[in-house]
Amino acid sequence: MTLSFDPMAQTYTRLPSELYRFHDPSPVSSPTCIVWNDDLAHELGIQPWNSPTDLANVFSGNRMIGGARPLAQAYLGHQFGHLAMLGDGRAILLGEWLSPAGQRVDIQLKGAGRTPFSRRGDGRAAMGPMLREYLVSEAMNALGIPTTRSLAVVATGDLVVRESMLPGAVLTRVASSHIRVGTFEYAAMVTTASVLRQLTEYSIDRHYPDCRQSETMIVSFLNHVIDRQAYLVAQWMLVGFVHGVMNTDNMAISGETIDYGPCAFIDTYHPQTVFSSIDTYGRYSFGNQPAIAAWNVSRFAESLLSLIHPEPAEAMTIAEGCCREFMRQFHTYWIDGMRRKLGLLQAQSDDEPLIDEFLSMLSQTAIDYTGSFHALLRPSVTIPERDRDAWNHWKRQWDSRLQTQPYSRDEVASVMGSVNPIIIPRNAHVEAVLGAALEGNMRPFSNFMASVRHPFSPSNWDSNFAIPLPVDPSYHTVCGT
Ligand code: AMP
Ligand code: MG
């Protein structure tokens, strides 16, 4: 056994017991580790395992890690705008681990069996969605976007009942914490003022310790969470990521992307893009994400009101002031990112109309979003015949704009190359490698993983994974819960 938790280093369990329930994972029949993240294990200082059986037993929940006191966390969540009592219904937190660099992370098993918060669910997860979370979260990390990580996927040997019988799996998720906006909603609405205060101070110490220096510590905390969320959603928008289910329980206060369900990357650029089969009204469409994040941070601010100021009206005024900043900050991060993506290395006042026109042009064409940034530099990358006029019209403006800045084409290309990925987990490729994995062939999954780990500089430019495939307009993702 090469992993054990230091009982002295466990911090969440020092919080009031209203915030969690101790609960062990339920055993599975015949665990086999099908994916193991060597890089992450190394980064975390988790030594390689000698015995595959041990590894599978530990990361399926069959064998308890020394020092672990497994628990399920309590939280509420606004799901599609409606408040619900949730909590970890199928995830179990094994403990907190300190990396050699001194970074504290939660190690959690997802799909580890029923918990006191399971409601009618079976507490289990199907292999397809767990491999999907592994793949997309690791791709996001390689893209430099804050995210929870994935350490392992273990097949359980059991079937789970969904629309059909599916092979079950347990994912090991690593996060800087699993404290969500919904955790604060729970503390504010279901527990006492003292529990809310303790959760808040704990979160500050764990994620934003600098706030302790501020005279208005709680407001400073709120501002930090707003800032990190604005940054995160800007990064999603720049890379074309659609989270798909931005409920308040799926928004971590650390600012990491969390809870990969029906997420996907856009191919062509259309703000109304929705992939999730349950998002009937497009609440979580690509273009709505900034507005929804703003809505979510307002729910977060609401849960802190009693700590912000004893006078409710005053607390509300302060919180509203903070929340209004969200869109401004989002916009600053986003425009900054777009400038770099387009090689506009010196900010100019008319950049924004130029960028708007670019996106508006893309939205009327079948041009691949990710590929479009490369097409500006490499005329060989094809633009569909019928879109050439629109493309060339915009590109001429872009060419003249570049001439107004004192940078060579090489300098521009180098910045653009460092921020525009060549490889993203394109939907068609994701489905293909997951399909093969479910038939027992892990090789395409492994090859794809190796590619998405180097999104900006794939070893082979002709990599098949870089090439857009024909877009399937009926493509939908499912939550897979
Ligand atoms: P998610 O859509 O993954 O964010 O989950 C929303 C809520 O449903 C959380 O409280 C989950 O723990 C719970 N949940 C999802 N799937 C299951 C399941 N198979 N069994 C029990 N609870 C689940
Ligand atoms: Mg969730």
Side-chain angles (χ1 to χ4, degrees):
M1 170 63 63
T2 51
L3 180 67
S4 67
F5 290 109
D6 174 0
M8 301 306 289
Q10 305 307 305
T11 59
Y12 206 74
T13 48
R14 291 182 209 150
L15 282 169
S17 60
E18 287 95 322
L19 292 169
Y20 52 87
R21 305 278 182 281
F22 286 115
H23 191 85
D24 286 342
S26 308
V28 305
S29 305
S30 124
T32 321
C33 185
I34 51 171
V35 194
W36 174 251
N37 191 341
D38 253 330
D39 291 351
L40 179 59
H42 183 75
E43 202 178 305
L44 293 175
I46 296 174
Q47 304 298 322
W49 250 258
N50 298 329
S51 148
T53 315
D54 267 0
L55 182 82
N57 275 322
V58 166
F59 292 99
S60 60
N62 273 15
R63 181 174 312 157
M64 207 32 64
I65 298 174
R69 286 192 79 193
L71 61 88
Q73 291 175 320
Y75 50 88
L76 300 182
H78 274 92
Q79 299 189 301
F80 289 89
H82 302 287
L83 190 63
M85 176 62 207
L86 301 171
D88 290 332
R90 58 169 172 168
I92 294 181
L93 177 63
L94 297 180
E96 293 155 40
W97 175 258
L98 289 176
S99 77
Q103 186 202 0
R104 175 181 303 277
V105 292
D106 277 2
I107 299 198
Q108 190 200 58
L109 299 182
K110 185 167 174 180
R114 288 180 55 79
T115 77
F117 303 112
S118 294
R119 297 171 292 166
R120 285 187 298 278
D122 61 0
R124 292 300 183 189
M127 191 187 297
M130 294 306 99
L131 286 174
R132 199 161 202 286
E133 170 153 353
Y134 183 101
L135 200 164
V136 183
S137 63
E138 288 302 302
M140 291 288 269
N141 178 63
L143 288 163
I145 300 178
T147 177
T148 61
R149 305 284 306 270
S150 300
L151 182 63
V153 178
V154 175
T156 58
D158 299 315
L159 292 174
V160 296
V161 186
R162 296 294 181 260
E163 269 159 23
S164 57
M165 302 288 273
L166 300 170
V170 176
L171 172 89
T172 303
R173 178 158 70 182
V174 174
S176 70
S177 90
H178 286 85
I179 304 170
R180 305 144 189 270
V181 168
T183 318
F184 276 84
E185 293 180 295
Y186 172 83
M189 288 187 235
V190 180
T191 73
T192 62
S194 157
V195 174
L196 175 64
R197 176 161 283 280
Q198 290 178 69
L199 174 68
T200 305
E201 294 196 5
Y202 173 86
S203 304
I204 289 171
D205 291 339
R206 187 155 173 183
H207 294 293
Y208 305 104
D210 291 352
C211 297
R212 287 273 184 193
Q213 312 304 320
S214 165
E215 277 174 27
T216 51
M217 179 178 79
I218 307 291
V219 175
S220 168
F221 173 48
L222 173 58
N223 285 334
H224 274 80
V225 172
I226 290 174
D227 176 74
R228 287 300 83 196
Q229 201 61 32
Y231 175 79
L232 179 66
V233 177
Q235 304 316 302
W236 291 357
M237 299 306 288
L238 291 166
V239 81
F241 176 75
V242 189
H243 181 285
V245 61
M246 289 176 69
N247 296 333
T248 54
D249 56 298
N250 294 341
M251 185 177 145
I253 60 129
S254 63
E256 290 174 347
T257 311
I258 190 169
D259 265 351
Y260 291 85
C263 59
F265 284 77
I266 56 169
D267 294 297
T268 51
Y269 182 89
H270 299 289
Q272 309 76 12
T273 304
V274 170
F275 293 114
S276 167
S277 59
I278 58 166
D279 192 0
T280 320
Y281 300 104
R283 179 180 170 90
Y284 298 139
S285 64
F286 175 62
N288 243 9
Q289 297 188 116
I292 290 293
W295 192 87
N296 288 350
V297 297
S298 298
R299 303 291 75 73
F300 179 61
E302 259 166 25
S303 70
L304 293 177
L305 283 176
S306 64
L307 301 177
I308 290 176
H309 201 280
E311 200 55 59
E314 181 62 20
M316 189 64 107
T317 308
I318 297 171
E320 278 173 358
C322 298
C323 290
R324 264 198 299 277
E325 282 296 293
F326 177 88
M327 275 300 179
R328 201 187 55 79
Q329 277 164 264
F330 163 76
H331 191 257
T332 305
Y333 285 126
W334 180 81
I335 202 90
D336 200 46
M338 264 299 167
R339 280 201 174 100
R340 292 169 65 77
K341 281 175 86 69
L342 290 169
L344 314 180
L345 306 188
Q346 216 175 31
Q348 291 181 13
S349 58
D350 52 358
D351 287 344
E352 202 166 336
L354 184 69
I355 293 169
D356 285 349
E357 220 181 294
F358 176 64
L359 296 176
S360 153
M361 177 268 291
L362 286 188
S363 73
Q364 286 158 39
T365 66
I367 298 172
D368 180 74
Y369 175 70
T370 304
S372 68
F373 300 94
H374 299 287
L376 289 169
L377 299 169
R378 284 188 186 76
S380 62
V381 176
T382 44
I383 299 293
E385 183 71 43
R386 58 155 240 230
D387 296 328
R388 295 238 167 103
D389 286 349
W391 173 262
N392 289 331
H393 175 74
W394 186 84
K395 189 165 176 293
R396 277 193 292 276
Q397 298 177 56
W398 180 74
D399 281 324
S400 4
R401 165 65 177 80
L402 289 196
Q403 276 157 27
T404 65
Q405 60 183 21
Y407 296 99
S408 68
R409 276 285 162 143
D410 281 352
E411 287 169 310
V412 166
S414 143
V415 171
M416 289 175 72
S418 70
V419 294
N420 288 309
I422 292 165
I423 307 267
I424 52 160
R426 291 178 179 280
N427 302 325
H429 297 304
V430 171
E431 294 306 327
V433 303
L434 292 185
L438 292 175
E439 282 169 11
N441 177 10
M442 289 300 292
R443 190 179 289 267
F445 182 90
S446 309
N447 289 343
F448 194 37
M449 277 310 307
S451 278
V452 298
R453 284 199 191 285
H454 303 284
F456 301 104
S457 53
S459 43
N460 177 3
W461 161 252
D462 290 332
S463 165
N464 280 335
F465 296 129
I467 298 165
L469 295 174
V471 175
D472 170 7
S474 67
Y475 180 69
H476 275 112
T477 52
V478 290
C479 262
T481 47

